């Protein structure tokens, strides 16, 4: 560390040094009994002499310091780092300017607890005003500093507490009638910080309904002989802002030994929010109480109106804490009605006394388990007792409280009979379904065999008729040729009918796995297959963008091919067919009756619009029935199964088909198919 001025000066004269040492020794003896230390610094030799108090304050262990002296740095190095430079500078300035030295600083201690000291000193000079010595005293201020810090800390804490709590403070001198308010106190009375206050202003700021009561409380606190305690809640009406506030005031009057009041101090705090919350809470309590009463009444009404029988019971235990019975505490009207008893015959009586059958059929053991384990249980058992009560009962038990139990039960005897009958019916239905399955399998086998057995005779009829027509054409009369033509035509119709029947049968008995089908591709294939008919009739077929659905590509092709073929077939001779195919999302009100219960699902509506002969809508249900025809079979070919196939395909895909038409104004067939969930 740097030290103050260290110039080389003339050494002290021996007589002068001796005199100074004696004076220093006397001074040390006089002051060593207190918290005062003395020091003497020989500047030219950099020797500092100190008494034991000085060595103790600076934690210097060299006991020879008072006789031989130590360098100044031995002591200044023990000054707190934050104070060291300042102290060294003050020593330099004092010596250089000839001023009295005074400095307050901290000294480092071995026990890590700093000491506060006050140093005062004065330099001596020779005739040339060169500094010779620098001596003085050191006073230990540690305890005083601690007291000051404690006082400051307490004051800071008090100020922080007041600020944090948003307290207002007041000080009233009853003798001089002087009233001092903090800014917060003035704010709570609706006053600005610069406003003048006195006791009259205080009374003026109170709510009229609280003014007299509050003044009496103040006077009682100031009354000689009283406790001087002041604790009150009142309302203020802001003198300048007119705002209503609730205030909580606490104070204490200070009395002299003679009982004369000398002061009155206290605090105020804004409790407006608390009062509002208290009012709201009170209103909530009132409302909750009323609601609870209503709910209790409502619950009782519901319980009494319930068709279920409900009994609340409490377990009865013996000396070993085993449950031996249950006390029936309350029961709803269903219990009383179902047992034809009065309330006093059930409520307040033991379960096994009134319903002894509970012990034998296992219900009592169930109730005991529920109370002991806390787990709710249900059971259905047959009940019979000596009083003539018997039947099937369904019981549910739930624990309530420590030993309470709520039991809900129903007499399900009639339901049990119905269940047994239903089980018998289910068995019969299962048997019938098995028979139906075998019947369908036999029908499918029969249809397959019959189709092949019928096809062969028809092929022979056609072959023989062709042979007659070609080889004996010249020998046949017109009538005979017409008969052969009729035979051939009938055979062709029979073949077509058998083919359509097989197709219709397969739709009922066989199902292909579904996959995603692009309907635009399906319609392209259909139009391609019917290209010759379209060209022959000079028809116009327009297909707009169609969606992708989940289904069977081959069966959907059957559906649309039948619809397009019908649109080409059922058209007046003089009219060129115009067919439009389009798709959009169907609305709920557009769904046919079959899909109304699925209105929450999404469906595509594919419309096939033609300009054909149409029909009267009164008969639209008939056109989807096999073999039903609305038009002359001689005018339009077909078996009457095509639209039935369309309906079966649509339904097998979870959809439906509908139609709207007017005679000679064309028809609109509407096919509804489910949308893919991901689209």
């Amino acid at each position: 560390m740097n030290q103050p001025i260290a110039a080389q000066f003339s050494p002290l004269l021996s007589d002068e040094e001796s005199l100074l040492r004696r004076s220093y020794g006397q001074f040390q003896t006089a002051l060593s009994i207190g918290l005062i230390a003395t020091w003497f610094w020989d500047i030219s030799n950099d020797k500092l002499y100190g008494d034991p108090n000085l060595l103790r304050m600076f934690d210097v262990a060299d006991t020879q310091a008072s006789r031989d002296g130590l360098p100044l740095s031995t002591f200044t190095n023990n000054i707190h780092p934050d104070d060291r430079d300042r102290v060294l500078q003050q020593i330099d300035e004092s010596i250089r300017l000839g001023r009295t030295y005074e400095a307050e600083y901290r000294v480092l201690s071995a026990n890590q607890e700093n000491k506060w000291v006050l140093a005062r000193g004065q330099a001596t000079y020779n005739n040339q005003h060169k500094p010779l010595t620098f001596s003085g005293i050191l006073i230990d201020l540690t305890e005083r500093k601690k007291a000051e810090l404690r006082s400051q800390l307490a004051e800071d804490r008090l100020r922080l507490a007041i600020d944090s709590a948003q307290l207002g403070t007041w000080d009233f001198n009853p003798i001089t009638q002087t009233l001092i308010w903090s800014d917060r106190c003035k704010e709570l009375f609706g006053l600005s910080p610069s406003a003048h206050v006195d006791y009259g202003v205080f009374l003026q700021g109170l709510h009229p309904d609280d003014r007299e009561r509050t003044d009496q409380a103040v006077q009682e606190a100031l009354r000689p002989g009283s406790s001087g305690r002041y604790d009150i809640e009142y309302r203020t009406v802001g003198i300048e802002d007119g705002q209503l506030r609730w205030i909580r005031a606490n104070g204490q009057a200070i009395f002299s030994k003679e009982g004369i009041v000398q002061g009155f101090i206290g605090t105020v705090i804004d409790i407006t929010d608390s009062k509002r919350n208290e009012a709201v809470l009170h209103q909530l309590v009132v409302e909750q109480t009323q609601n609870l009463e209503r709910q209790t009444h409502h619950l009782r009404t519901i319980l009494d109106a319930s068709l279920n029988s409900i009994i609340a019971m409490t377990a009865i235990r013996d000396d070993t804490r085993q449950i031996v019975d249950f006390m029936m505490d309350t029961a709803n009207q269903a219990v009383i009605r179902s047992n034809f008893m009065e309330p006093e015959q059930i409520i307040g009586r033991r379960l096994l006394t009134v319903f002894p059958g509970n012990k034998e059929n296992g219900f009592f053991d169930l109730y005991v388990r529920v109370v002991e384990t806390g787990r709710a249980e249900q059971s259905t058992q047959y009940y019979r007792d000596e009083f003539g009560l018997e039947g099937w009962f369904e019981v549910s038990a739930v624990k309530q409280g420590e030993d309470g139990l709520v039991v809900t039960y129903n007499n399900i005897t009639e339901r049990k009979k119905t269940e047994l009958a239903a089980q018998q019916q289910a068995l019969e239905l299962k048997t019938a379904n098995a028979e139906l399955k075998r019947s369908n399998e036999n029908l499918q086998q029969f249809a397959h065999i019959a189709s092949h057995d019928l096809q062969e005779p028809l092929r022979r009829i056609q072959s023989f008729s062709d042979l007659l027509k070609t080889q004996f054409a010249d020998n046949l009369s017109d009538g005979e040729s017409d008969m052969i033509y009729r035979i051939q035509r009938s055979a062709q119709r029979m073949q077509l009918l058998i083919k359509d029947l097989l197709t219709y049968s397969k739709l009922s008995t066989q199902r292909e796995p579904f996959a995603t089908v692009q309907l635009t591709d399906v319609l392209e294939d259909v139009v391609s297959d019917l290209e010759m008919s379209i060209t022959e009739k000079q028809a116009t077929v327009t297909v707009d963008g169609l969606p992708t659905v989940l289904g069977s590509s081959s069966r959907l092709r059957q559906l649309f091919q039948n619809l397009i073929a019908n649109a080409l077939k059922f058209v007046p001779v003089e009219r060129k067919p115009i067919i439009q195919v389009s798709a959009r999302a169907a609305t709920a009100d557009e769904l046919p009756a079959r899909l109304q219960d699925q209105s929450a699902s999404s469906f595509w509506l594919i419309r096939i619009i033609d300009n054909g002969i149409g029909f009267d809508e009164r008969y639209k249900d008939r056109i989807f029935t096999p073999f039903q025809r609305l038009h002359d079979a001689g005018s339009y070919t077909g078996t009457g199964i095509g639209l039935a196939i369309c309906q079966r395909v649509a339904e097998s895909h979870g959809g439906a088909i509908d139609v709207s038409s007017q005679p000679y104004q064309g028809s609109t067939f509407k096919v509804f198919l489910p949308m893919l969930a991901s689209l």
Side-chain angles (χ1 to χ4, degrees), residues 34-326:
L35 296 176
I36 300 176
T38 60
W39 47 269
F40 173 83
W41 180 33
D42 180 353
I43 297 175
S44 61
N45 296 315
D46 189 20
K47 295 288 185 179
L48 190 145
Y49 305 90
D51 61 7
N53 283 345
L54 182 71
L55 301 180
R56 176 182 55 80
M57 289 182 186
F58 280 86
D59 279 336
V60 175
D62 190 348
T63 56
Q64 302 299 318
S66 58
R67 186 180 53 137
D68 300 331
L70 293 171
L72 176 64
S73 60
T74 302
F75 297 90
T76 57
N77 286 344
N78 283 346
I79 297 176
H80 193 283
D82 294 344
D83 299 339
R84 190 176 300 145
D85 290 343
R86 171 177 57 84
V87 172
L88 291 174
Q89 183 179 359
Q90 287 177 306
I91 293 175
D92 284 342
E93 290 180 354
S94 174
I95 295 174
R96 179 165 45 84
L97 301 176
R99 296 188 310 199
T100 299
Y101 162 72
E102 181 171 329
E104 190 174 292
Y105 55 87
R106 290 162 291 178
V107 177
L108 298 176
S109 174
N111 60 8
Q112 304 301 318
E113 183 178 357
N114 298 326
K115 293 189 286 285
W116 278 93
V117 297
L118 173 64
R120 286 180 179 161
Q122 184 72 49
T124 62
Y125 304 87
N126 61 15
N127 294 334
Q128 290 76 34
H129 201 70
K130 299 296 181 179
L132 298 176
T133 64
F134 189 55
S135 60
I137 62 173
L138 201 70
I139 303 174
D140 190 342
L141 302 178
T142 303
E143 293 303 320
R144 193 190 78 182
K145 276 292 183 178
K146 288 181 179 179
E148 288 179 357
L149 290 174
R150 286 194 296 268
S151 176
Q152 183 63 41
L153 181 60
E155 184 178 343
D156 291 343
R157 286 177 176 173
L158 177 61
R159 185 181 301 105
L160 178 61
I162 291 174
D163 292 342
S164 300
Q166 293 189 327
L167 290 171
T169 59
W170 47 269
D171 186 345
F172 179 57
N173 188 328
I175 299 174
T176 63
Q177 294 294 302
T178 302
L179 181 59
I180 300 173
W181 278 358
S182 68
D183 292 346
R184 176 60 177 163
C185 188
K186 292 180 181 180
E187 180 184 346
L188 295 180
F189 278 78
L191 294 171
S192 63
S194 60
H196 169 75
V197 294
D198 54 26
Y199 194 72
V201 172
F202 165 67
L203 293 177
Q204 178 187 349
L206 298 175
H207 190 284
D209 295 343
D210 298 340
R211 192 170 294 153
E212 181 178 354
R213 174 177 62 87
T214 305
D215 182 48
Q216 289 177 353
V218 172
Q219 301 308 322
E220 173 61 23
L222 297 177
R223 181 179 58 82
S226 71
S227 65
R229 189 65 191 151
Y230 174 65
D231 188 351
I232 190 172
E233 292 179 0
Y234 53 76
R235 289 164 291 177
T236 65
V237 179
I239 298 174
E240 295 179 1
D241 61 12
Q243 183 176 340
L244 178 68
R245 300 176 178 86
W246 271 97
I247 304 299
R248 175 70 179 268
N250 285 280
Q252 179 67 52
I254 302 171
F255 298 93
S256 65
K257 293 182 179 180
E258 294 76 17
I260 300 174
V261 62
Q262 294 181 323
F264 189 33
I265 59 175
T267 61
V268 289
I269 187 172
D270 189 346
I271 59 170
T272 305
D273 290 341
S274 298
K275 281 292 183 179
R276 288 173 182 164
N277 293 337
E278 183 181 330
V280 171
L281 181 61
H282 175 72
Q283 182 62 30
L284 287 175
V285 170
V286 171
E287 292 176 358
Q288 289 294 334
T289 302
Q290 294 174 347
N291 288 337
L292 186 59
E293 291 174 352
R294 285 194 297 268
Q295 290 172 4
T296 302
H297 176 72
H298 185 55
L299 180 59
R300 186 68 212 186
T301 302
I302 292 175
L303 289 176
D304 288 340
S306 174
L307 298 178
N308 297 329
S309 298
I310 304 173
I311 300 178
M313 306 187 297
T314 302
I316 299 174
R317 298 179 182 270
D318 61 12
D319 295 340
T320 63
R321 299 297 296 163
Q322 297 295 316
I323 298 177
V324 295
D325 208 338
F326 288 89

Side-chain angles (χ1 to χ4, degrees), residues 520-538:
T520 300
D521 296 340
V522 171
L523 264 295
E524 287 180 359
D525 292 343
V526 169
V527 172
S528 177
D529 291 343
L530 298 173
E531 183 177 1
M532 291 184 63
S533 297
I534 293 172
T535 302
E536 180 183 342
K537 294 199 173 187
Q538 298 182 358

Side-chain angles (χ1 to χ4, degrees), residues 574-605:
E574 72 280 0
R575 188 180 300 173
K576 294 180 181 179
I578 299 176
I579 305 168
Q580 296 178 323
V581 184
S582 61
R584 62 174 173 81
T587 59
D589 57 351
E590 291 177 322
L591 297 178
R594 184 177 183 277
L595 301 179
Q596 285 298 323
D597 59 341
Q598 302 182 47
S599 57
S601 302
S602 300
F603 290 87
W604 289 111
L605 168 57

Side-chain angles (χ1 to χ4, degrees), residues 432-491:
N433 285 336
E435 291 293 335
L436 181 59
K437 182 179 180 181
R438 284 194 297 271
S439 176
N440 284 337
E441 291 173 352
N442 292 336
L443 179 61
Q444 182 180 1
Q445 186 177 8
F446 170 77
H448 180 74
I449 294 173
S451 66
H452 284 76
D453 291 346
L454 289 175
Q455 289 281 12
E456 183 60 28
L458 286 174
R459 282 194 295 270
R460 290 185 179 183
I461 291 173
Q462 286 180 322
S463 297
F464 288 143
S465 61
D466 287 341
L467 185 61
L468 288 172
K469 186 176 179 181
T470 56
Q471 293 186 5
F472 301 99
D474 295 338
N475 298 325
L476 295 175
S477 63
D478 292 341
E480 291 171 339
S481 296
D482 183 60
M483 289 178 63
I484 293 174
Y485 171 74
R486 288 174 182 268
I487 291 172
Q488 288 180 321
R489 185 177 177 188
S490 295

